[in-house]
Amino acid sequence: MIEVKNLTKRYGKITALDNISFTVDTGEVLGFLGPNGAGKSTTMNIITGYISSTRGTVTVDGCEILAEPRKTKQKIGYLPELPPLYVDMTVRKYLEFMFDLKRVKLPKKEHVDEVMRLVGLEKHGNRLIKNLSKGYRQRVGFAQALLGNPPVIILDEPTVGLDPQQIIEIRKLIKSLGKKHTVIFSSHVLSEISATCDRIIIIAEGRIIADAKKDELSKVLADGQQLTAVIEGTPADIIAELKKIPDVTQAKKTETLSDKTGRYAVEYKPGADIRRETFHAMARIHCPILEMRAGSESLEELYLKLTAKAKGGAEA
Ligand code: ADP
Ligand code: MG
């Protein structure tokens, strides 16, 4: 559905995007994850035709944005990071205005009603946008993106600045969109992306550093795997014992929690599962395990490590 090929964007001396390529299949919900300044908005602005690339091409449903801008834009609904809203209009008036601007060829009243219902604005049609809360304004931006039923929906950091309840609702909305649309949405928060997406692309310093199905991501990213545990006892004994476990490649204390307890990080070979061995090992030396977690938590750490590494590499 979307094909991004060898995209490079320079702003003067700054290379915001450095030769990135990826494709998105029809019906896929793709999460675009990266720290601030990674190049997420730049990529989205190029895909949607708001800015041009220095090099590279984007095709959406077979149309190239540069060759057929109008036709390509009609296939995309875009919620920019800061949606341009006319705050003195009512919700309905604004959506009708955008409907006309986009030259949507559907029955106007019915379609605007349907879109308002989809985003939960059906009771707010007559309210002025300036009187809406941040969460509701975001819904208006969302509604605007859905006008005309475009097959592709692109959302730039749609949950920034929302409260937890609003975030949950926006997540639901994104998931429901995925049934009928191809969706790309960006965030700098890993948990936001992993709650909603099938597939994740991680971008840092203008380069793609990972592209994988959500379930496979930790495997793809990890050199090995990590177990973290809170254990009571003498650190030297604990570490020595942990290192004796087969498949363990590294064990260290990462945090002191009290005079007796500490947090430990144990790295082990991919594919292994050392939880039971860890239990038996600590039982042997009478050091109680108060908490233990393997695998999933390290995704967050890997993301941090990985983006830090990309940064280091770019600065070097
Ligand atoms: P993200 O959305 O991931 O936070 P952006 O795409 O906004 O990142 O920015 C990527 C890089 O490009 C950053 O270093 C940013 O400072 C730079 N940048 C973005 N827009 C401009 C611009 N209009 N002029 C100059 N530099 C820009
Ligand atoms: Mg951005």
Side-chain angles (χ1 to χ4, degrees):
M1 179 55 90
I2 303 172
E3 188 175 12
V4 171
K5 224 167 157 182
N6 303 114
L7 216 54
T8 294
K9 176 72 182 178
R10 290 201 191 89
Y11 295 105
K13 279 185 183 161
I14 299 174
T15 301
L17 290 179
D18 189 3
N19 198 30
I20 69 165
S21 301
F22 61 90
T23 57
V24 192
D25 291 334
T26 304
E28 208 167 24
V29 179
L30 171 73
F32 215 54
L33 175 67
N36 288 324
K40 303 181 296 296
S41 298
T42 301
T43 307
M44 292 180 149
N45 280 327
I46 293 172
I47 295 175
T48 54
Y50 274 69
I51 61 172
S52 60
S53 64
T54 306
R55 200 155 26 84
T57 54
V58 175
T59 47
V60 177
D61 199 12
C63 295
E64 200 182 316
I65 189 97
L66 288 177
E68 302 172 280
R70 175 130 223 131
K71 198 173 159 201
T72 314
K73 280 184 189 177
Q74 270 172 353
K75 294 177 185 290
I76 304 173
Y78 184 29
L79 174 64
E81 207 164 6
L82 300 166
L85 298 174
Y86 296 94
V87 294
D88 288 317
M89 287 185 181
T90 64
V91 171
R92 175 179 291 282
K93 270 272 141 32
Y94 171 73
L95 291 175
E96 287 179 354
F97 173 71
M98 292 306 288
F99 180 102
D100 294 340
L101 210 64
K102 291 184 169 194
R103 301 189 205 174
V104 178
K105 290 176 189 67
L106 292 164
K108 189 158 159 182
K109 177 160 188 325
E110 284 83 347
H111 185 55
V112 169
D113 278 342
E114 187 200 338
V115 163
M116 286 203 299
R117 197 170 51 247
L118 264 175
V119 303
L121 280 173
E122 65 272 42
K123 291 190 188 118
H124 300 81
N126 295 323
R127 289 185 62 186
L128 289 175
I129 293 176
K130 67 177 169 200
N131 295 335
L132 296 176
S133 67
K134 167 106 186 157
Y136 274 92
R137 281 187 196 201
Q138 195 70 335
R139 289 182 199 211
V140 178
F142 237 107
Q144 163 276 125
L146 296 178
L147 285 172
N149 281 329
V152 174
I153 305 277
I154 296 186
L155 311 162
D156 196 357
E157 306 243 9
T159 56
V160 156
L162 303 184
D163 66 38
Q165 183 58 37
Q166 291 166 336
I167 289 177
I168 290 171
E169 281 167 21
I170 294 286
R171 277 183 191 167
K172 261 192 225 153
L173 203 57
I174 293 172
K175 271 193 180 158
S176 68
L177 287 180
K179 292 188 183 125
K180 280 191 190 159
H181 304 262
T182 304
V183 182
I184 305 184
F185 98 98
S186 73
S187 177
H188 61 282
V189 184
L190 173 65
S191 56
E192 213 48 70
I193 296 274
S194 58
T196 330
C197 298
D198 318 320
R199 187 173 137 217
I200 302 180
I201 286 182
I202 301 181
I203 177 171
E205 304 279 312
R207 294 202 189 106
I208 290 178
I209 52 177
D211 177 352
K213 294 257 180 238
K214 187 170 66 192
D215 312 335
E216 292 161 8
L217 192 65
S218 52
K219 276 182 234 154
V220 172
L221 294 182
D223 301 328
Q225 297 204 67
Q226 201 181 59
L227 172 142
T228 54
V230 174
I231 305 170
E232 194 176 284
T234 312
D237 297 347
I238 292 172
I239 289 168
E241 202 64 22
L242 288 171
K243 283 185 172 167
K244 284 184 203 159
I245 298 171
D247 294 327
V248 166
T249 53
Q250 179 66 263
K252 58 176 189 275
K253 190 173 160 199
T254 55
E255 199 183 340
T256 301
L257 298 167
S258 74
D259 51 352
K260 276 191 179 165
T261 55
R263 192 182 304 279
Y264 295 81
V266 188
E267 283 173 24
Y268 54 98
K269 290 178 189 154
D273 183 352
I274 60 162
R275 288 172 300 175
R276 289 166 195 81
E277 302 278 1
T278 304
F279 166 79
H280 290 302
M282 292 303 104
R284 268 197 300 277
I285 58 167
H286 307 289
C287 290
I289 297 174
L290 307 179
E291 209 182 293
M292 175 158 75
R293 188 152 38 173
S296 69
E297 191 208 34
S298 62
L299 194 57
E300 190 87 36
E301 284 176 359
L302 282 166
Y303 169 50
L304 288 174
K305 256 195 233 164
L306 213 62
T307 48
K309 213 191 270 174
K311 203 170 171 121
E315 275 163 9

